[in-house]
Amino acid sequence: MKKFGFFAASVVFCGMMMLVACQPQSESTSSPANDAENSNVQSGAVDATSEEAAKLQSVEQVVDMYIVDTFGKQYAQAEVCIPQQIVVATDESNDQDIKVWGDFWVFNYNTAGDTLKTASGGSHPGLIHLRKVDNGYEVTAFDQVGDGSEFEPTAKSIFGDKYEAFMKMHSNDKEREQNRAQGIAKYAKANGLKVTMYQDEGWPAVKLPE
């Protein structure tokens, strides 16, 4: 798990961003392509019996909720919590074990005028498992890539033949940053946030796309 208090990070946004705000509890931040034949998700039990979960109909929305509810709480509290998915591949061939491989990010921001100021966040690469239920989907497990010396062996084990695609996406900072901006802009528009820029500490503010 990658963590940074403040950072210059970039992220590829995949799928729909969940319309939520969260109150994380410890600091951090920051990571890669799409395979049409497969679907990515991480494993880690989550309570999917709530009314909110029952209303979510798509895999992307449920994964967003999981990111906020599970990872968002690990970081320092801020005004806005925005989940982002960097999806490598998905596999929906078994509706009782839908798989989503990717890098799952959460970013926490405070608003300052028309700018979102990065407070904390982090990267959680791995494989999310979901299953189909009557009202949509629920996450059943999350296989997370390890830290430090465990990163490479666990990433190779979890991503398998998708490992090279994951690492290529993971290392493309420019593309990730462009997609991060697009994801923030979509979230801001959907939630009525009157912001036009975001800014990591020590770096110039970045204008959001129209």
Side-chain angles (χ1 to χ4, degrees):
M1 174 178 64
K2 237 182 228 182
K3 292 187 176 183
F4 307 83
F6 297 91
F7 57 97
S10 40
V11 182
V12 174
F13 174 84
C14 285
M16 300 175 63
M17 304 199 73
M18 187 176 173
L19 313 182
V20 298
C22 72
Q23 297 181 342
Q25 296 172 354
S26 81
E27 288 197 356
S28 233
T29 311
S30 184
S31 243
N34 230 330
D35 183 346
E37 298 179 2
N38 297 322
S39 168
N40 38 16
V41 183
Q42 296 180 336
S43 53
V46 64
D47 180 5
T49 60
S50 67
E51 290 183 6
E52 182 180 23
K55 294 176 183 177
L56 299 177
Q57 299 300 311
S58 73
V59 168
E60 291 83 1
Q61 286 174 309
V62 173
V63 170
D64 273 345
M65 185 182 73
Y66 179 77
I67 292 171
V68 169
D69 288 350
T70 302
F71 305 140
K73 296 174 182 177
Q74 299 176 17
Y75 302 100
Q77 179 175 345
E79 296 174 4
V80 179
C81 181
I82 301 179
Q84 294 198 9
Q85 301 179 43
I86 305 174
V87 174
V88 176
T90 63
D91 180 356
E92 299 187 49
S93 59
N94 179 356
D95 65 8
Q96 292 304 296
D97 187 20
I98 297 167
K99 300 181 180 73
V100 181
W101 291 266
D103 198 354
F104 307 98
W105 285 78
V106 62
F107 293 93
N108 301 309
Y109 303 94
N110 290 311
T111 55
D114 64 350
T115 303
L116 285 176
K117 301 273 191 175
T118 306
S120 63
S123 162
H124 299 262
L127 169 62
I128 291 177
H129 298 262
L130 306 92
R131 67 178 178 181
K132 185 78 171 64
V133 294
D134 290 343
N135 296 313
Y137 302 89
E138 65 181 10
V139 173
T140 59
F142 174 56
D143 305 327
Q144 181 160 308
V145 172
D147 293 328
S149 62
E150 293 300 311
F151 179 88
E152 184 175 353
T154 56
K156 286 183 175 180
S157 175
I158 292 168
F159 285 89
D161 60 2
K162 305 166 187 62
Y163 175 75
E164 289 188 9
F166 164 67
M167 291 304 298
K168 181 178 180 180
M169 183 170 64
H170 187 75
S171 63
N172 193 333
D173 293 345
K174 183 177 180 180
E175 184 176 353
R176 290 195 317 252
E177 193 65 22
Q178 291 173 345
N179 283 277
R180 177 186 176 193
Q182 292 171 358
I184 294 171
K186 290 180 181 179
Y187 180 93
K189 183 177 180 180
N191 288 273
L193 298 180
K194 304 300 182 183
V195 295
T196 61
M197 297 179 289
Y198 73 95
Q199 184 176 23
D200 297 330
E201 185 177 357
W203 292 81
V206 177
K207 185 173 178 58
L208 297 176
E210 297 292 335

